[in-house]
């Protein structure tokens, strides 16, 4: 049995805090409801939008003329265990950070660097969430989905997910086709490999006087860094980084560096480097700029913000203006990371 609500306000269901209305809305708590949903005549004639925590979407229209399907499938199940390793199958509607805390408490290693990322477990494979030297693909074994096209449940192995930097099959051809119901993670139970290469983590651990590394210590350090850098969506509406960090050819970087001596970069391979988009945007003078009740965050130029009552279309226009100025000044095309609805 499936119930579709009509004209549901989405303001509290997206971390940007944008006012928009779902023409139809339903909550899925059990994967079997998905078949019933697909058989509903309204589902067949309207576009679908799967929604988790709403922390990576920008609603640009007053009304979404389709069905918003809110994912609330819960549960953490141990599906396999071996010497030193454990496999957990996790309901896509679990909150990502709560899952990370569960792992830290049970001494399961692999997700601690991804502490405090907002949103749901089910959205994590969508853009292959990443932070502080780790991407979620590093610990994913498989992703369980309901395929709206064939009305079947599938298990997609990691290699078939086409994971890349903030990319996956779910963001491309699988978008709004695959409803992710569960994610299976492969985690370490002992001899954890700690990833503290990201400079700021080491600094914080030293300040915290940590002599022996633990999952909790790494998680605490990441949480401290994130709290100092990123705006809390409860206080200021935002969706994290609005753009991806662009990868450019090394020869272009060398040419730009002649004019912009301070331009930072991270090596990607022998012929490409990644440039922090936050730096490019700051150089174009956008950092801290406010236009009415929206703007570019004062401490992190990669984050666009809604100070309250902001309009999604206006934020999209601001993002487009930022892209244009980076293109004009540096000849670099910024790609939006946030999903524009
Ligand atoms: P939503 O915003 O609800 O959805 C995002 C997209 O995924 C939509 O297109 C939606 O249709 C699709 N989707 C959601 N659930 C499913 C599902 N079950 N099946 C199929 N498709 C689905 N991201 C990072 O990678 N690294 C960071 O460090 C980071 N920091 C952030 C900090 C802040 C303050 C904020 C606000 C965001 C940050 N993000 C970061 C972005 C965001 O938290 C992640 O992208 C997160 O995975 C989104 O989860 P969600 O459940 O909120 O997804
Ligand atoms: N910088 C500036 N000005 C700014 C912001 C950044 O010059 O206003 C430059 C600095 O040189 C700084 C560098 O950018 O050293 C990197 O900044 P930061 O460490 O804050 O990371 P980021 O590249 O801006 C990325 C991810 C974040 C992730 C952090 C930590 C992307 C698009 N963003 O941000 O992910 O948390 O690294 O790993 O890759 C997200 O995806 O929503 C997100 C927040």
């Amino acid at each position: 049995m499936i119930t579709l609500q009509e004209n549901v306000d989405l303001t509290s269901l997206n971390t940007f805090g944008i006012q928009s209305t779902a023409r139809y809305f339903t909550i899925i708590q059990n994967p079997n409801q998905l078949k019933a949903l697909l058989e509903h005549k309204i589902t067949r004639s309207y576009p679908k939008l799967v929604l988790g925590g709403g922390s990576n979407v920008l609603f640009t229209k007053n009304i979404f003329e389709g069905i918003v399907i809110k994912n609330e499938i819960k549960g953490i199940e141990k599906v396999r265990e071996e010497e030193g390793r454990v496999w957990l199958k996790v309901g896509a509607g679990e909150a990502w950070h709560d899952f990370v805390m569960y792992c830290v408490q049970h001494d399961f290693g692999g997700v601690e660097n991804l502490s405090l990322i907002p949103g749901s477990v089910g959205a994590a494979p969508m853009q292959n969430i990443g932070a502080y030297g780790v991407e979620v693909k590093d610990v994913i074994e498989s992703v369980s989905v309901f395929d709206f096209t064939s009305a079947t449940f599938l298990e997609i192995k990691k290699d078939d997910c086409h994971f890349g930097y903030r990319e996956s099959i779910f963001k491309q051809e699988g978008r709004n086709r695959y409803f992710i119901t569960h994610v299976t993670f492969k985690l370490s139970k002992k001899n954890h490999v700690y990833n503290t290469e990201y400079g700021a983590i080491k600094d914080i651990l030293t300040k915290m006087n940590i002599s022996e590394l633990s999952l909790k210590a790494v998680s605490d350090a990441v949480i401290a860094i994130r709290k100092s850098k990123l705006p809390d969506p409860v206080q200021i509406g935002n969706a994290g980084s609005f753009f991806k960090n662009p990868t450019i050819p090394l020869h272009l970087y060398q040419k730009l560096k002649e004019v912009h001596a301070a331009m930072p970069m991270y090596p990607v391979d022998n012929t490409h480097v990644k440039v922090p988009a936050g730096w490019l945007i700051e150089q174009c003078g956008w950092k801290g700029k406010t236009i009415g009740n929206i703007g570019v965050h004062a401490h992190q130029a990669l984050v666009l913000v809604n100070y309250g009552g902001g309009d999604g279309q206006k934020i999209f226009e601001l993002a487009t203006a930022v892209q244009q100025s980076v293109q004009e000044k540096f000849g670099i095309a910024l790609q939006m990371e946030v999903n524009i609805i």
Side-chain angles (χ1 to χ4, degrees):
M1 179 61 189
I2 199 88
T3 322
L4 290 185
Q5 298 173 58
E6 282 187 59
N7 300 322
V8 170
D9 179 35
L10 299 169
T11 314
S12 65
L13 299 178
N14 71 97
T15 60
F16 249 127
I18 300 295
Q19 202 276 315
S20 183
T21 302
R23 180 80 179 86
Y24 295 102
F25 180 88
T26 193
I27 294 176
I28 296 293
Q29 290 171 317
N30 177 328
N32 293 327
Q33 291 173 302
L34 288 162
K35 285 207 167 178
L37 175 66
L38 205 54
E39 278 155 20
H40 201 295
K41 68 175 191 307
I42 285 177
T43 315
R44 278 188 248 121
S45 35
Y46 279 87
K48 295 176 270 302
L49 172 70
V50 186
L51 193 64
S55 63
N56 209 23
V57 288
L58 176 68
F59 291 112
T60 56
K61 298 188 179 73
N62 292 337
I63 182 152
F64 174 73
E65 280 294 349
I67 307 164
V68 171
I69 310 165
K70 175 99 169 68
N71 176 6
E72 289 188 4
I73 298 170
K74 301 278 172 145
I76 302 182
E77 189 193 350
K78 199 184 276 183
V79 286
R80 196 173 147 198
E81 212 164 356
E82 257 179 21
E83 174 71 12
R85 285 165 206 270
V86 63
W87 281 256
L88 300 180
K89 184 169 180 177
V90 185
E94 291 284 349
W96 174 261
H97 180 65
D98 292 352
F99 167 60
V100 173
M101 290 298 97
Y102 172 94
C103 293
V104 169
Q105 275 154 22
H106 288 77
D107 205 30
F108 297 152
V111 286
E112 58 284 352
N113 290 54
L114 303 176
S115 296
L116 214 62
I117 296 183
S120 60
V121 166
M126 167 79 178
Q127 72 157 9
N128 179 24
I129 55 169
Y132 303 101
V134 170
E135 288 182 326
V136 75
K137 74 169 171 55
D138 303 339
V139 287
I140 286 182
E141 175 85 357
S142 65
V143 178
S144 306
V145 303
F146 179 71
D147 180 358
F148 282 123
T149 310
S150 62
T152 51
F153 290 98
L154 308 171
E155 191 182 344
I156 305 180
K157 292 280 169 206
K158 173 192 181 155
D159 286 349
D160 296 323
C161 292
H162 304 159
F163 286 126
Y165 164 63
R166 297 297 190 273
E167 271 303 342
S168 75
I169 193 171
F170 310 106
K171 204 167 179 180
Q172 298 298 332
E173 59 265 42
R175 185 188 279 274
N176 295 325
R177 168 180 174 176
Y178 294 139
F179 181 110
I180 297 171
T181 60
H182 297 86
V183 183
T184 302
F185 298 92
K186 182 181 171 183
L187 303 161
S188 58
K189 274 198 308 181
K190 58 181 186 184
N191 301 331
H192 304 305
V193 179
Y194 296 107
N195 195 325
T196 56
E197 283 317 296
Y198 214 92
I201 296 186
K202 278 197 184 128
D203 297 346
I204 294 264
L205 289 171
T206 310
K207 272 194 205 134
M208 285 160 62
N209 276 328
I210 299 290
S211 52
E212 205 179 321
L213 279 178
S214 65
L215 300 179
K216 170 108 176 38
V218 174
S219 169
D220 285 349
V222 167
I223 289 173
I225 300 167
R226 294 184 67 95
K227 282 190 171 162
S228 72
K229 281 195 172 190
L230 288 160
D232 177 356
V234 174
Q235 276 145 23
I236 306 175
N238 76 91
S241 301
F242 201 93
F243 304 95
K244 294 185 191 182
N245 286 330
T247 296
I248 60 168
L250 178 61
H251 64 81
L252 174 61
Y253 173 75
Q254 284 160 344
K255 221 169 136 206
L256 286 165
K257 181 106 173 136
E258 287 169 17
V259 188
H260 310 280
M263 188 185 242
M265 66 88 168
Y266 314 101
V268 172
D269 55 32
N270 289 341
T271 50
H272 290 87
V273 300
K274 204 180 259 185
V275 179
W279 187 87
L280 298 171
I281 297 167
E282 182 173 347
Q283 296 304 305
C284 291
W286 287 103
K287 194 168 179 172
K289 224 173 209 174
T290 302
I291 302 156
N293 43 11
I294 63 169
V296 178
H297 195 247
H299 305 308
Q300 176 34 297
L302 198 44
V303 178
L304 303 190
V305 291
N306 171 18
Y307 291 105
D311 179 273
Q313 180 57 29
K314 290 272 180 322
I315 293 179
F316 181 72
E317 284 163 18
L318 169 62
T320 308
V322 168
Q323 278 177 321
Q324 269 167 9
S325 51
V326 170
Q327 180 71 49
E328 277 160 24
K329 192 171 169 82
F330 299 102
I332 296 176
L334 288 186
Q335 257 185 300
M336 293 185 197
E337 187 214 80
V338 171
N339 300 279
I340 310 299
I341 311 293

